[in-house]
Amino acid sequence: MDQLQTLTSWIKDSESIVFFGGAGTSTESGIPDFRSAAGLYQTEHQSPYPPEEMLSRTFFMSSPDIFFDFYRSKMIHPQAQPNGAHLLLAELEQQGKLKAVITQNIDGLHQKAGSRRVLELHGSIHRNYCMDCARDYGLEQIVASKDIVPRCPDCGGIVRPDVVLYEEELDYTVLTESVEAIRGADLLLIGGTSLTVHPAASLITYFRGRNTVLLNGEPTPYDRRANLIITDRIGQVLGKVGELLRES
């Protein structure tokens, strides 16, 4: 409880909070991280492909049918709902305290919770486009497609998700905005990420504020930088912190 009270106090005293999050932010909403999803797919299909290969640009271009079978069956969770972490972050933004959510996730749960400034390092399942004519499509059109590989009805091109695959570069504008947000923060909350995927993980080195809080179930390479480490489930933790803030 002392840790929760400390975090609550720091949030109350902060004027410029930034949240940096990964897959663990959404696991309490029923969305597995991609390695777990790939493991399940491998078991069900006796697939020999590791997750990093299936989610690479090379694999996507050479085997779009396998890519989309995996992606559509294991990576898309349109019924998932925000948990306590997503909801508190949206509430803090509405109060003017939280300036940005920087996420490695592609699920859109921060927006569903009400967050408005969400910097999506790896893109989003909710944005899709035809690789030939560039027409935009929403997630509902991908889900409704009867073909494993979704095709553009206008030109027949493959409609791919606007997500960053292995071998592809992150969006420069999103990276720049993320660096600026972290530099301007006085409190950095890091949640649900192993901080091993680069260049995303290295963004936190730009923080110059007072306190860094790590909310993660496992140790990370950046633990020594943290002023506070909480290893409980992030959704439950931030849900309780939200209650403490509303009571104070």
Side-chain angles (χ1 to χ4, degrees):
M1 195 62 183
D2 289 342
Q3 289 182 318
L4 297 186
Q5 291 172 339
T6 297
L7 176 54
T8 301
S9 175
W10 288 355
I11 289 174
K12 287 177 62 177
D13 293 340
S14 295
E15 298 179 353
S16 182
I17 303 169
V18 167
F19 176 81
F20 180 94
T25 310
S26 295
T27 52
E28 289 167 81
S29 296
I31 299 179
D33 65 81
F34 81 93
R35 288 186 178 85
S36 299
L40 184 59
Y41 183 85
Q42 287 168 326
T43 300
E44 292 177 354
H45 297 265
Q46 289 78 51
S47 170
Y49 307 108
E52 291 84 359
E53 182 177 357
M54 278 198 293
L55 291 176
S56 69
R57 180 173 179 84
T58 297
F59 191 87
F60 171 80
M61 298 302 293
S62 64
S63 305
D65 52 337
I66 301 175
F67 171 88
F68 274 106
D69 187 52
F70 166 59
Y71 174 77
R72 295 177 63 165
S73 63
K74 302 301 179 192
M75 299 287 289
I76 297 177
H77 302 270
Q79 305 307 317
Q81 296 299 317
N83 60 52
H86 302 102
L87 295 172
L88 177 62
L89 294 169
E91 187 176 330
L92 293 175
E93 183 187 49
Q94 291 165 5
Q95 295 171 5
K97 284 183 168 290
L98 186 132
K99 304 305 180 184
V101 167
I102 303 168
T103 181
Q104 296 170 283
N105 296 340
I106 60 174
D107 51 49
L109 286 183
H110 287 291
Q111 291 92 330
K112 187 178 281 191
S115 290
R116 305 185 71 174
R117 191 184 184 201
V118 183
L119 301 174
E120 296 171 311
L121 295 170
H122 296 153
S124 173
I125 62 171
H126 296 278
R127 298 188 301 272
N128 303 268
Y129 63 91
C130 173
M131 296 179 68
D132 290 345
C133 72
R135 177 179 171 181
D136 293 326
Y137 292 90
L139 177 62
E140 64 281 354
Q141 291 158 303
I142 304 303
V143 173
S145 173
K146 295 180 180 179
D147 299 318
I148 291 296
V149 180
R151 296 277 179 177
C152 175
D154 289 347
C155 71
I158 294 177
V159 178
R160 68 159 282 179
D162 187 13
V163 299
V164 180
L165 302 175
Y166 282 94
E167 304 167 348
E168 295 181 334
E169 294 184 355
L170 273 62
D171 184 274
Y172 179 77
T173 301
V174 175
L175 279 174
T176 301
E177 287 189 33
S178 299
V179 169
E180 291 175 354
I182 290 173
R183 275 181 174 158
D186 57 19
L187 174 62
L188 179 61
L189 306 179
I190 303 170
T193 173
S194 61
L195 295 175
T196 57
V197 177
H198 293 275
S202 59
L203 290 174
I204 68 170
T205 62
Y206 290 95
F207 180 63
R208 298 292 182 269
R210 290 196 300 269
N211 294 307
T212 299
V213 180
L214 264 174
L215 304 109
N216 201 53
E218 303 292 335
T220 79
Y222 293 86
D223 283 7
R224 66 186 183 282
R225 294 175 177 265
N227 303 98
L228 178 65
I229 298 176
I230 301 177
T231 57
D232 293 332
R233 292 184 174 186
I234 184 173
Q236 293 181 5
V237 169
L238 293 188
K240 291 176 182 177
V241 168
E243 294 176 2
L244 292 173
L245 286 168
R246 287 185 283 274
E247 291 171 0
S248 61

